[in-house]
Amino acid sequence: MILLTRRATFSASHYYWNPAWPAEKNEQVFGRCANRNGHGHNYTLEVTVAGEPDPVTGFVVDLKALKEIIEREVLAAWDHRHLNLEVPEFAASELSATIPTTENLAIAAWNRLEAAIADSCGRG
């Protein structure tokens, strides 16, 4: 089995806030990250695909296609955005929100990428 990883970088801003909690609890749990003005990060996204090389092409995955999927599905939606305000996965309502932690970013990226990679690259 071969593992291939494609790396991409993006910049985004966010804050941590649970709308079901009062401001005091958000500030206690999240500290400076609860500042509703947000703060920015430079992120690195690594997408790893595993498999056996195709006997005809020699590819496990077409890396050009994988790069295009990452750019279309994640970078176009998240790069230079305020995650809480501009990205549907992290948009807050009065009672709930998916807080844009690193863990939740990884889950959201996986959800955006999984089907597109399987469809375009023949992997799942």
Side-chain angles (χ1 to χ4, degrees), residues 1-2 6 14-15 18 23 28 41 43-44 50-51 59-60 63-64 69 72 75 79 90 97 103 120 123:
M1 177 172 300
I2 302 293
R6 189 72 174 182
H14 70 144
Y15 59 85
N18 183 334
Q28 176 189 13
H41 295 281
Y43 293 94
T44 300
F59 291 163
V60 169
L63 288 176
K64 182 177 183 231
I69 291 167
R72 180 183 71 237
L75 301 185
D79 191 29
F90 306 108
E103 296 86 349
S120 295
R123 299 286 184 227

Side-chain angles (χ1 to χ4, degrees), residues 76-96:
W78 294 1
D79 191 29
H80 289 84
R81 303 278 188 230
H82 192 299
L83 299 172
N84 302 78
L85 304 178
E86 298 180 75
V87 176
E89 290 96 332
F90 306 108
S93 69
E94 285 185 29
L95 298 176
S96 68

Side-chain angles (χ1 to χ4, degrees), residues 34-110:
N35 181 334
R36 300 295 288 266
N37 292 318
H39 61 279
H41 295 281
N42 295 317
Y43 293 94
T44 300
L45 174 67
E46 293 182 346
V47 178
T48 301
V49 178
E52 296 297 330
D54 181 278
V56 176
T57 65
F59 291 163
V60 169
V61 63
D62 180 339
L63 288 176
K64 182 177 183 231
L66 182 59
K67 178 182 179 184
E68 291 169 355
I69 291 167
I70 293 168
E71 288 176 353
R72 180 183 71 237
E73 299 296 330
V74 177
L75 301 185
W78 294 1
D79 191 29
H80 289 84
R81 303 278 188 230
H82 192 299
L83 299 172
N84 302 78
L85 304 178
E86 298 180 75
V87 176
E89 290 96 332
F90 306 108
S93 69
E94 285 185 29
L95 298 176
S96 68
T98 299
I99 300 167
T101 61
T102 302
E103 296 86 349
N104 285 331
L105 284 168
I107 292 166
W110 172 258

